[in-house]
Amino acid sequence: MAYDENTAARVRKLLAGQRYVAEKKMMGGLCFMVNNTMCCTVSGRGGMLIRVGPEAHARMLQESHTSPMEMRGRIMTGFVRVAPDGYQSDAELKKWVKRGLDFVAANTAGRKAAPRKAVSAKTEVAAKAKAPPRGRARKGLRR
């Protein structure tokens, strides 16, 4: 089952002002990563998965339209599944996405986002120096 594109668009709109946002297809849906940490997922099984952390897990399950996230028969503490009825309004969706962002902020405080690795001139020169010369046989390969 494919994830709900409409919900994904709504989440994109909410995360538009955030830095270091990436989308990855995983966990049966579309996962929104912020600062290399999972924030929330628009699930292919319906609803959303929100990462709230183990400390808030039990408290979040007290809210309406929530259930534990189960993966391969195991309850994943730190994640809650929110049924579509739980985020019909923009305010409700914003509340859930903010909870995912709060988890990310608490767990990445003081940690910078991993920048994309750029190849510097020094790295290129070092790599060429280690590589065997082209067109010549390396020792031990010819008899």
Side-chain angles (χ1 to χ4, degrees):
M1 179 180 183
Y3 59 87
D4 180 12
E5 287 285 348
N6 185 36
T7 302
R10 291 172 63 203
V11 173
R12 274 187 206 103
K13 188 176 176 182
L14 288 172
L15 294 176
Q18 291 290 317
R19 294 178 62 189
Y20 309 115
V21 175
E23 297 177 15
K24 291 186 180 184
K25 289 186 180 183
M26 60 189 277
M27 299 179 71
L30 184 64
C31 179
F32 290 89
M33 310 282 286
V34 178
N35 201 13
N36 293 324
T37 304
M38 182 188 154
C39 172
C40 60
T41 299
V42 180
S43 177
R45 291 179 23 190
M48 290 183 67
L49 303 175
I50 308 294
R51 190 157 188 196
V52 295
E55 301 81 27
H57 185 253
R59 188 175 68 248
M60 295 298 152
L61 288 175
Q62 302 289 321
E63 300 230 4
S64 58
H65 308 293
T66 61
S67 61
M69 178 191 159
E70 188 177 322
M71 183 181 273
R72 296 185 186 145
R74 281 184 44 209
I75 300 295
M76 304 297 290
T77 58
F79 294 85
V80 292
R81 181 175 294 280
V82 182
D85 291 341
Y87 55 85
Q88 284 185 341
S89 74
D90 289 340
E92 290 170 321
L93 180 64
K94 185 176 181 178
K95 172 184 76 170
W96 284 111
V97 171
K98 183 181 179 328
R99 288 174 174 170
L101 288 171
D102 289 346
F103 171 83
V104 170
N107 287 282
T108 59
R111 183 178 97 190
K112 291 184 180 178
R116 298 204 179 244
K117 292 185 180 180
V119 179
S120 68
K122 266 187 177 178
T123 306
E124 281 186 35
V125 170
K128 285 181 183 179
K130 290 181 184 178
R134 291 185 182 188
R136 290 188 185 169
R138 288 176 265 164
K139 283 187 175 180
L141 293 180
R142 280 196 180 165
R143 291 189 174 192

